[in-house]
Amino acid sequence: MTNDALAVANLLERIGRLIRTEEQVGGLYPVQWTTLRYLARANRFSRTPMSITHYLGSTRGTVSQTIIALERKALVIRTPSEQDKRSVNVSLTPEGQQLLENDPIQKLADEIKIAIGSQTNAMQDMLEKLLGQLIVANQGRAFGLCKTCRHFVNQGGQSVDKQHHCSLLSVDLSDGDSKKICTEHTA
């Protein structure tokens, strides 16, 4: 590893630590914030405890305890899955959605705008490439946007709820669904 690459790795690690410090001020642990963020970005098929586990690269026990803690704080709710009665779906409550309006990570986003301005897209591309490499190296899941998946079919806006289709799950998708991340994503 070159000294430049190590310097970048150290900077990313330090930025991450500073954000984690900000998150604890809000009364939640970092894993709880990340879970709330994930649920806000995940499509309806990806809001299960197992999907959260894969996204976080964590254990089922940690995710289970995180969901229990968030339920106690009335930030998420568990409901039985309509597709698989053995599973549950986890959703944000209105209180959870409201809390995310004051998400500490927004401070980082604001600082990124100030620090690099018009280069944000280039930085995003580089970080997505890095993340992709790390996911492959760790044998994780990509969790890409639905509309970038090979199973995504644009149906030309037939109706608000059926503008798109997922050929893997054989379900119609709204335009809003197409902009969410999915556990079944295949580039």
Side-chain angles (χ1 to χ4, degrees), residues 14-62:
R14 177 85 169 113
I15 290 167
R17 292 236 178 253
L18 290 172
I19 293 305
R20 298 299 176 252
T21 300
E22 289 284 324
E23 289 173 336
Q24 291 176 351
V25 172
L28 297 177
Y29 291 106
V31 69
Q32 293 170 339
W33 277 108
T34 303
T35 301
L36 293 176
R37 288 181 198 122
Y38 170 77
L39 291 170
R41 296 179 58 218
N43 68 17
R44 60 187 172 191
F45 313 107
S46 303
R47 295 185 197 132
T48 65
M50 188 55 69
S51 293
I52 297 168
T53 299
H54 290 302
Y55 184 81
L56 296 177
S58 191
T59 65
R60 287 187 294 177
T62 296

Side-chain angles (χ1 to χ4, degrees), residues 152 159-164 173-180:
F152 179 78
S159 75
V160 174
D161 293 336
K162 298 179 181 180
Q163 293 177 322
H164 312 292
L173 304 167
S174 69
D175 195 50
D177 288 332
S178 74
K179 297 172 185 167
K180 299 281 186 174

Side-chain angles (χ1 to χ4, degrees), residues 14 26 31 42 92 97 120-122 146 149 155 161 185:
R14 177 85 169 113
V31 69
L92 291 172
Q97 292 171 346
T120 303
N121 287 340
C146 194
C149 180
Q155 297 186 140
D161 293 336
H185 185 272

